[in-house]
Amino acid sequence: MTDPASQHASLPHAVFLQRMADGSGQAAFIVLRLVDLLGPEHATLHPDAFHYQYVATARCCRELPPGATETSHLLGLVRSTADAFRQQSTGLVLPALFAYAHYLEDEMRLEEALDVLDTLLQVGGAKLAPADAVGARLRRARVCRKLNAFDAAERAYTEGGEMAAAIGDRHSELLSRIGRAETLRGRGNLLEAESLLRGILVDAEAIGDRYPQALAHQGLAVVLSTGGRPAEAIPHEWRAFQLHDDEVARMRVLGDLGIMLLFVGDPTAAERALTEIVRRGATHDVLDNALIELMHCASFRRDRVGFERWREQCDARRESMPPNILVDYTLKAGIGRARFGQVDRAERLFASALKIADEAGLHEFTFRIERIKAGLRDCDCPVAAAESDFRSESVREVSASLAQLEA
């Protein structure tokens, strides 16, 4: 079922074997092979055969680092799989599979997350409760979208939305529509994405559903900012922060808000938003992005000491950065070098960023890097045009709210 990369090998769950070195990848592979025994094709499996594999799998997991988050997820999966087999109820393993997929997605191990969600759909099959079937498809669609597998994402969003409508689940139906709008944005169709999100926002407000409202505001902010209207985007982003109840989501919003505030020439407010992420803690990708943007803020203000401090923290995390974050870091490190007059070092960093972007198929980054390389001695060209945005009433209100948040 996995769409991106069409699986790394014909062996089920082979994507986990890329992490053989740390031991958890092999353990995850073995655990998911145990979960596979709950599938309909193993309906006549003898209990002794299951018990033998269960004992071996549990022993493997006990050798993992105790207290590690992934260890807890894998041990939970082993226990819930045993309960599901013993009681002949695959529903008992679903919460553990959902939780593990969510953890992997937060860690940006997206192909692994997709594999877990495919496993969930496979072992659940026709026995999945309607709500679980909808939830799994929407989660799968989101992971596909993050992998830039837009066709697969659209299919899953549409399928999940139709299933939600059939059971009268307005909340999930709205989430499906938001996901399709995000897919349109990913394809570069900003006009249609904006129109769809504004319609979703009206519908979500009409039924008083806060979470879709937050996501619609957040999506609108990104669409407007991407379309060169950051001053219009900032109030939507702040409203999303106010509406979200989940701390992880709130930190992600603050990260986007910091980027937009810097773009309109307000580095002080941007740093307030980004520093709040570092202070509170966040998922791996959100924290990576916050550190990169704090480095970018420092170079914007020509703070050489601050730039080096944040750059060192980013550099210590680069080995675990996915390509889209790594190319962003390399690009902004190059911009920083150029701002401090180190043009030769900047050119080398831009060349490295361009190579990463080309190899990963990140075409938007490729175009952006080429434009910056062409005007290397003009790294701050957008700032003067954005200064009037900083003086707008709506942006000043958000900046003042961030100052109160910091206090």
Side-chain angles (χ1 to χ4, degrees):
M1 295 177 67
T2 302
D3 300 280
S6 67
Q7 287 288 57
H8 290 76
S10 58
L11 190 65
H13 317 302
V15 64
F16 288 92
L17 297 180
Q18 295 180 3
R19 288 195 290 124
M20 290 286 283
D22 65 1
S24 59
Q26 182 179 6
F29 170 80
I30 294 171
V31 169
L32 288 164
R33 294 292 286 160
L34 180 72
V35 175
D36 287 341
L37 298 181
L38 300 176
E41 70 274 22
H42 297 289
T44 59
L45 182 70
H46 194 280
D48 288 347
F50 177 86
H51 181 73
Y52 174 81
Q53 190 163 334
Y54 161 73
V55 170
T57 304
R59 185 185 305 117
C60 174
C61 289
R62 284 195 293 269
E63 295 173 358
L64 294 174
T69 303
E70 187 165 16
T71 300
S72 299
H73 278 291
L74 293 175
L75 287 170
L77 260 177
V78 172
R79 287 192 296 269
S80 59
T81 302
D83 292 340
F85 184 84
R86 186 167 50 251
Q87 299 183 38
Q88 293 298 292
S89 174
T90 55
L92 296 176
V93 78
L94 299 185
L97 285 168
F98 270 120
Y100 187 40
H102 189 75
Y103 161 78
L104 291 169
E105 183 184 350
D106 282 346
E107 292 295 305
M108 294 303 290
R109 298 187 206 153
L110 298 177
E111 291 189 352
E112 294 180 14
L114 193 58
D115 186 280
V116 173
L117 291 167
D118 285 346
T119 301
L120 187 156
L121 289 166
Q122 178 66 30
V123 300
K127 295 182 180 179
L128 276 176
D132 289 332
V134 170
R137 282 165 176 80
L138 294 184
R139 183 71 59 82
R140 187 180 193 280
R142 187 173 71 186
V143 173
C144 285
R145 177 168 54 80
K146 289 182 178 181
L147 282 164
N148 296 329
F150 295 125
D151 288 344
E154 284 186 346
R155 286 194 299 271
Y157 276 128
T158 300
E159 190 176 344
E162 290 172 351
M163 294 174 71
I167 61 175
D169 183 353
R170 291 290 305 281
H171 177 83
S172 295
E173 192 179 0
L174 285 169
L175 296 185
S176 167
R177 290 167 60 192
I178 290 168
R180 292 202 299 276
E182 287 295 301
T183 303
L184 285 169
R185 179 181 65 81
R187 291 186 186 278
N189 191 342
L190 300 182
L191 192 62
E192 191 173 347
E194 180 183 348
S195 175
L196 185 54
L197 285 165
R198 290 193 185 279
I200 293 164
L201 187 55
V202 170
D203 293 343
E205 288 173 345
I207 62 173
D209 197 338
R210 287 172 62 93
Y211 183 57
Q213 286 181 60
L215 291 181
H217 276 294
Q218 197 172 348
L220 268 172
V222 175
V223 167
L224 292 169
S225 180
T226 304
R229 298 147 66 190
E232 293 180 50
I234 285 169
H236 283 289
E237 199 72 67
W238 181 247
R239 184 59 182 145
F241 178 80
Q242 294 173 313
L243 285 165
H244 272 302
D245 296 319
D246 178 64
E247 187 71 2
V248 172
R250 284 162 69 86
M251 292 303 99
R252 195 174 294 278
V253 168
L254 281 183
D256 289 343
L257 188 59
I259 294 170
M260 293 173 193
L261 285 163
L262 182 62
F263 192 78
V264 298
D266 189 353
T268 302
E271 287 178 332
R272 284 178 181 140
L274 298 164
T275 303
E276 191 70 12
I277 296 170
V278 177
R279 186 179 70 82
R280 295 193 192 190
T283 57
H284 199 283
D285 62 317
V286 174
L287 188 54
D288 279 346
N289 284 321
L291 293 170
I292 292 167
E293 293 307 321
L294 282 164
M295 177 189 73
H296 199 43
C297 284
S299 72
F300 180 96
R301 292 189 294 100
R302 303 306 191 272
D303 175 5
R304 181 68 176 273
V305 174
F307 171 78
E308 293 294 349
R309 182 175 75 251
W310 294 119
R311 185 196 60 76
E312 286 176 3
Q313 291 196 41
C314 292
D315 211 49
R317 301 168 64 89
R318 64 173 295 142
E319 292 301 321
S320 62
M321 290 179 181
N324 62 315
I325 294 179
L326 180 59
V327 71
D328 189 45
Y329 162 55
T330 309
L331 170 61
K332 286 171 180 171
I335 291 173
R337 293 298 180 198
R339 284 172 171 166
F340 294 115
Q342 300 172 317
V343 177
D344 289 344
R345 295 180 73 175
E347 286 180 335
R348 289 196 294 272
L349 285 164
F350 291 150
S352 177
L354 192 59
K355 183 173 184 292
I356 297 165
D358 286 343
E359 289 177 351
L362 300 170
H363 304 305
E364 182 186 346
F365 269 113
T366 299
F367 298 141
R368 194 187 314 171
I369 295 163
E370 292 285 9
R371 286 199 306 271
I372 293 172
K373 281 180 67 180
L376 181 55
R377 300 179 188 279
D378 242 351
C379 286
D380 287 339
C381 54
V383 176
E387 285 177 352
S388 59
D389 290 341
F390 178 32
R391 290 194 294 268
S392 72
E393 184 64 29
S394 59
V395 175
R396 286 203 304 271
E397 286 176 3
V398 173
S399 181
S401 297
L402 281 167
Q404 292 176 0
L405 180 67
E406 185 181 45

